[in-house]
């Protein structure tokens, strides 16, 4: 067994022990909570409905009325049957159906037919309590569903008969008891936070649950303090997690204010910090950078969340706790991942993308990471998480972080079990130009090489210079690693033409051009795939600089002086 194998083995044993201990503790806590709640209060009325701030589309209401349920890129036609009796085409489709987020489309349709259809579908689900689905009572699905039921309760309860009303209150009670009992054993990270937000929403909205308000509000404060960094990032290091949290937390905060319940300083501070970092992660086209599991977030959803931000401050350049850097000059933005992977219990969706970057100019994204798949996420998970799917250097076929697989994955989940432990960052600003010099040790254990990357942007934003170095560490020998590759994944809208010198010009559809020059390694163009498109994976291209062993390559993106007509060069 090698030193690396032994190190990984010790970490694996530790992870298994932690998971087993938490499972046992969770069972004990569930028994205690069940005893406490089994004779506890039942829902008496919904006094306030937290607003659903996600955008609805009335055309979806027409599709649902016609029996066509389109979720996660799959369409199921019911032909008059209940959608809850249909065989789901995918787990993602089943979770979307059971989460009831689609009720908002029926609400915005604002017709008698849509309201009646919404009530009939909810009543259909309530009669079986989700027993037909293996996913109905997963913690995050149950949390999403009860938030949807509360938000849409005015539509569902206005004009309903007594039987539906009583069944609805019984369903609310059941949700409160089930997720209250299971909150401590909900998966770490975003799921647990969503469950707590749902519980707080119930305690705020339903009069008979008010006795639990203080306990749940304190518990939410503690979880926000645990998961939200001082700079506003989420502990899982996924930029889109900020939107997912705020889109549920902001309406609950408003409901508290409407009922005269003081909003805690913990919630207010967490919201302010997350708003600040949400602006940090935005490119000029409004989309979020694609790091650590981020996929496409609808622009209108981001805009709606930011409409609740009173500060409207300029994005910071440095997010040291979250591990990111932002370089901005003129119309140009570079966002760089300068952090180590999250702790294993929060790393189930994290990627091996340390020192990767994204680059946009104006409303055009040029260099991106592949991102997480917006559809068929599980099918693309391993590909999306690998270092090769990121705009950074990759040694041989190794990713800079390693993921649990096989039996270990079944026990502890698809978490990161090894990777960079030390990431150094030096930010330098001089005369308007900005440089970030960063390095990580993710390859030292395997091949004895340290990856160092420097990115420098001119004050005008018209030039970006980069350098990637592999530095051999003293006392380390490098086995045959098959060379290295520095990848620059391009957005699907970017087309490439070659200069006579052999460098590449990258052209946006609007004619803005950027030249790419490289020194120290041959340049090739290869196929790539952009996974984060909301309509599914899109073919794209990547620039690849290749080399052998320790050494360095230098590269430059230079804004072309004049707009370039791609048709003249293709």
């Amino acid at each position: 067994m090698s030193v690396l194998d032994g190190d990984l083995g010790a970490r694996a044993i530790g992870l298994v022990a932690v998971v087993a201990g938490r499972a046992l503790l969770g069972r004990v806590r569930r028994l205690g909570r069940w005893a406490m709640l089994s004779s506890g209060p039942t829902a008496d009325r919904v006094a306030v409905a937290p607003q659903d701030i996600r955008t609805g589309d009335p055309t979806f209401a027409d599709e649902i009325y016609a029996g066509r349920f389109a979720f996660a890129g799959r369409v199921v036609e019911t032909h008059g049957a209940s959608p809850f009796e249909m065989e789901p085409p995918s787990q993602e489709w089943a979770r979307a159906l059971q989460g009831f987020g689609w009720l908002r489309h029926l609400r915005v349709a604002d017709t008698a037919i849509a309201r009646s259809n919404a009530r009939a579908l909810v009543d259909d689900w309530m009669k079986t309590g989700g027993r037909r689905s293996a996913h109905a009572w997963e913690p995050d699905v149950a949390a999403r569903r009860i938030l949807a039921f509360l938000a849409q309760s005015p539509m569902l309860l206005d004009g309903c008969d007594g039987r539906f009303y009583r069944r609805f209150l019984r369903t609310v009670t059941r949700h409160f008891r089930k997720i209250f009992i299971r909150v401590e054993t909900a998966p770490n990270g975003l799921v647990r936070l969503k469950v707590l937000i749902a519980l707080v929403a119930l305690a705020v909205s339903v009069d008979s649950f008010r006795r639990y308000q203080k306990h749940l509000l304190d518990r939410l404060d503690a979880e926000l303090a645990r998961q939200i960094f001082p700079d506003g990032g989420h502990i899982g290091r996924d930029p889109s997690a900020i939107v997912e949290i705020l889109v549920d937390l902001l309406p609950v905060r408003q409901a508290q204010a409407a009922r005269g319940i003081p909003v805690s300083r913990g919630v207010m501070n967490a919201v302010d910090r997350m708003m600040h970092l949400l602006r940090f992660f935005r490119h000029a086209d409004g989309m979020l950078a694609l790091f650590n599991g981020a996929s496409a977030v609808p622009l209108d959803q981001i805009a709606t969340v930011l409409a609740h931000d009173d500060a409207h401050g300029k994005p910071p350049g440095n997010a040291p706790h979250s591990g990111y850097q932002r370089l901005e000059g003129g119309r140009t933005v570079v966002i760089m991942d300068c952090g180590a992977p999250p702790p294993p219990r929060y790393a189930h969706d994290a990627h091996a993308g340390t020192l990767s970057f994204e680059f946009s100019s104006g409303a055009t994204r040029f260099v991106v990471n592949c991102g997480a798949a917006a559809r068929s996420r599980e099918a693309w998970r391993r590909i999306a998480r690998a270092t090769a799917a990121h705009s950074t250097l990759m040694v041989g076929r190794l990713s800079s972080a390693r993921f649990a697989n096989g039996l270990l994955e079944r026990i502890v989940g698809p978490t990161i079990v090894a990777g960079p432990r030390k990431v150094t960052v030096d930010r330098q600003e001089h005369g308007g130009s900005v440089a970030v010099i960063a390095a990580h040790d993710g390859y030292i254990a395997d091949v004895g090489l340290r990856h160092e990357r420097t990115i420098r942007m001119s004050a005008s934003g018209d030039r970006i210079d980069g350098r990637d170095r592999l530095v051999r560490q003293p006392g380390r020998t490098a086995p045959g690693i098959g060379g290295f590759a520095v990848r620059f994944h391009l957005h699907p809208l970017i087309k490439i033409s070659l200069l006579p010198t052999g460098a590449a010009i990258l052209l946006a559809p609007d004619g803005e051009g950027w030249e790419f020059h490289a020194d120290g390694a041959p340049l090739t163009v290869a196929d790539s795939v952009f996974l984060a498109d909301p309509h599914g994976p899109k073919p794209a291209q990547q620039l690849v600089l290749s080399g052998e062993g320790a050494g360095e390559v230098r590269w430059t993106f230079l804004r072309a002086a004049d707009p370039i007509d791609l048709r003249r060069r293709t």
Side-chain angles (χ1 to χ4, degrees), residues 215-284:
H215 167 75
L216 290 171
L217 287 168
D218 289 346
R219 183 69 181 83
L220 177 59
D221 276 354
E223 198 63 33
L224 285 169
R226 181 178 295 113
Q227 294 196 33
I228 305 302
F229 288 125
D231 58 22
H234 183 255
I235 193 169
R237 306 192 63 242
D238 174 355
S240 64
I242 300 172
V243 180
E244 288 194 54
I245 295 167
L246 288 172
V247 80
D248 289 331
L249 186 58
L250 289 171
V252 175
R253 187 182 68 168
Q254 290 175 327
Q256 284 182 251
R259 300 214 70 189
I261 301 168
V263 178
S264 71
R265 186 173 298 276
V267 168
M268 290 191 295
N269 288 342
V271 169
D272 289 344
R273 297 196 309 270
M274 285 188 283
M275 288 289 193
H276 207 43
L277 206 64
L278 182 57
R279 296 184 184 278
F280 174 99
F281 283 121
R282 289 183 84 198
H283 287 288

Side-chain angles (χ1 to χ4, degrees), residues 408-546:
L408 181 59
E409 181 179 0
R410 291 196 289 273
I411 297 173
V412 303
T415 190
I416 289 178
V417 295
R421 292 187 175 185
K422 183 178 181 181
V423 182
T424 60
V425 185
D426 179 20
R427 182 183 179 95
Q428 302 176 357
E429 301 185 26
H430 179 70
S433 68
V434 183
V436 172
I437 303 99
H440 76 80
D441 59 357
Y443 295 116
I444 291 178
D446 287 307
V447 295
L449 296 172
R450 182 172 185 256
H451 176 205
E452 298 179 359
R453 164 167 274 185
T454 299
I455 296 181
R456 185 182 305 274
M457 182 186 292
S458 66
S460 64
D462 292 336
R463 182 181 181 118
I464 302 167
D465 289 295
R467 182 184 71 173
D468 285 285
R469 300 177 66 205
L470 282 175
V471 181
R472 195 176 310 284
Q473 300 303 289
R476 297 276 186 170
T477 58
I481 60 174
F484 66 85
V486 183
R487 302 177 187 276
F488 305 85
H489 293 275
L490 306 178
H491 190 274
L493 294 178
I494 302 302
K495 295 180 174 63
I496 297 174
S497 64
L498 295 179
L499 287 171
T501 60
I505 293 182
L506 312 183
L507 296 172
D510 61 5
E512 178 180 350
W514 282 78
E515 299 178 7
F516 179 80
H517 301 266
D519 181 30
L523 168 67
T524 58
V525 177
D527 291 335
S528 179
V529 60
F530 185 68
L531 297 173
D533 191 281
H535 303 292
K538 298 289 186 184
Q541 292 179 297
Q542 59 178 307
L543 306 177
V544 183
L545 301 175
S546 303

Side-chain angles (χ1 to χ4, degrees), residues 157-176:
L157 300 179
D158 184 24
C160 72
D161 61 36
R163 287 178 297 177
F164 180 91
Y165 187 79
R166 289 189 293 273
R167 197 152 39 233
F168 186 84
L169 292 180
R170 286 197 299 270
T171 298
V172 170
T173 300
R174 187 182 183 199
H175 276 78
F176 183 76

